[in-house]
Amino acid sequence: MSQSTDPASPAESPSTSPAQSPAASPAGQIAAGYAFTGPALDLGALLWDGACLPEHQIRIPLSMLNRHGLVAGATGTGKTKTLQLIAEQLSANGVPVFLADIKGDVSGISAPGAANEKIGERAKDVAQEWEGAGFPSEFYSLGGIGPGIPLRSTVTSFGPVLMSKVLQLNQTQEQSLGLIFHYADTKGLELIDLKDLRAVVAFLVSDKGKPELKGIGGLSTVTAGVILRALTAFEQQGAAEFFGEPEFDTSEFLRTAADGRGLVSVLELPAVQDKPQLFSTFLMWLLADLYTDLPEVGDLEKPKLVFFFDEAHLLFNGASKAFLEAITQTVRLIRSKGIGVFFVTQTPKDVPADVLAQLGNRVQHALRAFTPDDAKALKATVKTFPNSAYDLEELLTQLGTGEAVITVLSENGAPTPVAATRLRAPQSLMGPIDAAALDQAVKSSLLYSRYAEPIDRESAYEKISAEQAAAEAEAEAAAAAAEAEKQAKAAAKAAPKPDPSLAEQVVGSGLFRSLARSIGTQLGREISRSIFGTARRRR
């Protein structure tokens, strides 16, 4: 490892003379920053000037795990094994853990690892007493796609901001979707699954539904069309499986095993790893749901849960302002609810500055500098660290697999010195368990019977469909009645008249009508004379 070449650096100051005590050396000064008095996780041994120093252990206080963190590094540098190492020790200390298993190789945390030459060498280098051990685990899947207990959310719970993110809507469309959710809520139209949301959108641009939103801005047909097309594309990705009931209770993640160890919840994502936008947003829903449900507890001796958010850069790509604000607020405030969040990505620049500022614990694996963009990312990463006795720009390109640059928050909340570290080896299996063992673990869980079978109860789709069916039936009945009346009139008009009777024929004849007129006229004259007092002339 390379130390700073600055003449004033600790590496070349008088404090490094052999006559000085080891604690006064640069390595000793760094290690002194990790000498905590309370419970702590052991990460590894200090690297200094190209040597591993097992007498100088690098640790992280258990009480600071709710202050969030970042695990970063290029592909293949050991980020997943770092997650496994931290998760194991958290579980051993009674802290539940949530891990997203994107590549399908974290399930081994439930089984003891097997000793081999590499593990033996690593354990010797870092003064680790290695022994294989498995940890209590539950396995989940998104909506039952792939092995695992199905995790489902209702559309209402997911909310318009997260839904807009996953549908890739712009700001105007996101605001319209917010109106749709508001309308459904006020009208008692439960948005359980995607067909419920589609039904409400379609209703609000129908002739009957258009007036419903006029008072609060309305919903344009164009915007509704965009949302409906996005929903269709979303469903074609298999997303319909993720929305529905029974909705998963995220408090299940906070459990401990019978022996007091924290339960490790592993979300199996290989079946949906080609849909990164979906699973990264779904992970954010899990975190937001925890934030909503948990009470304020302040700082604890150990966190209630540590949540590892893998492939974090996918969450922030193309995010709207509202979405970023929601994430920042959640990360900032969830600490006081006893939840720690570790974002896992390739470089710190993948995480927005407002979020990065909340991440007090840093584990930075090696970075590559093969291209100008790589070199730019490397310089940006170095600037995110405190002042260091190392030449970080050089060091970060020289770290081997399973080595990292670390700085954490001490027990009093101050950053520790930057320490290059050779990390310990995980005790559990560093790879996946076989499919049969995974299936057995899933089906033997007490949660399987509770969440395995989907439920489709009456919600917005059924209610709107019933109203439309009733309206259509009423319209059809009215149309049928009108048609029947029309046909009756036509039939009556076209019906032949019966032959007249003899009396009717006589009365209706011309001679009878002429005679009647003549009699009527004479009778009328006689009556008129009588009325006006005139008399008939005598002859």
Side-chain angles (χ1 to χ4, degrees), residues 76 97 295 302 422 435 447 457:
V97 178
K302 60 183 181 182
R422 181 163 294 163
L447 300 182
R457 64 182 176 89

Side-chain angles (χ1 to χ4, degrees), residues 9 26 84 163 199 201 203 216 231 256 274 406 427 433 471 490-492:
S9 73
Q84 197 166 339
M163 186 62 74
V201 174
F203 170 73
I216 52 175
L231 283 171
T256 55
D274 58 337
I406 292 174
Q427 293 177 273
I433 59 175

Side-chain angles (χ1 to χ4, degrees), residues 478-495:
E483 181 64 22
E485 184 179 355
K486 180 179 178 182
Q487 290 179 356
K489 287 182 179 178
K493 187 175 181 180

Side-chain angles (χ1 to χ4, degrees), residues 433-451:
I433 59 175
D434 63 71
L438 179 57
D439 186 63
Q440 174 62 27
V442 170
K443 291 183 178 176
S444 63
S445 169
L446 296 176
L447 300 182
Y448 185 76
S449 61
R450 190 180 309 170
Y451 295 107

Side-chain angles (χ1 to χ4, degrees), residues 153-160 162 181 191-192 247-248 285 288-289:
S153 164
T154 63
V155 171
T156 294
S157 240
F158 209 70
L162 285 177
F181 272 72
L191 300 178
I192 303 298
E247 183 175 51
F248 187 76
W285 169 76
D289 194 68

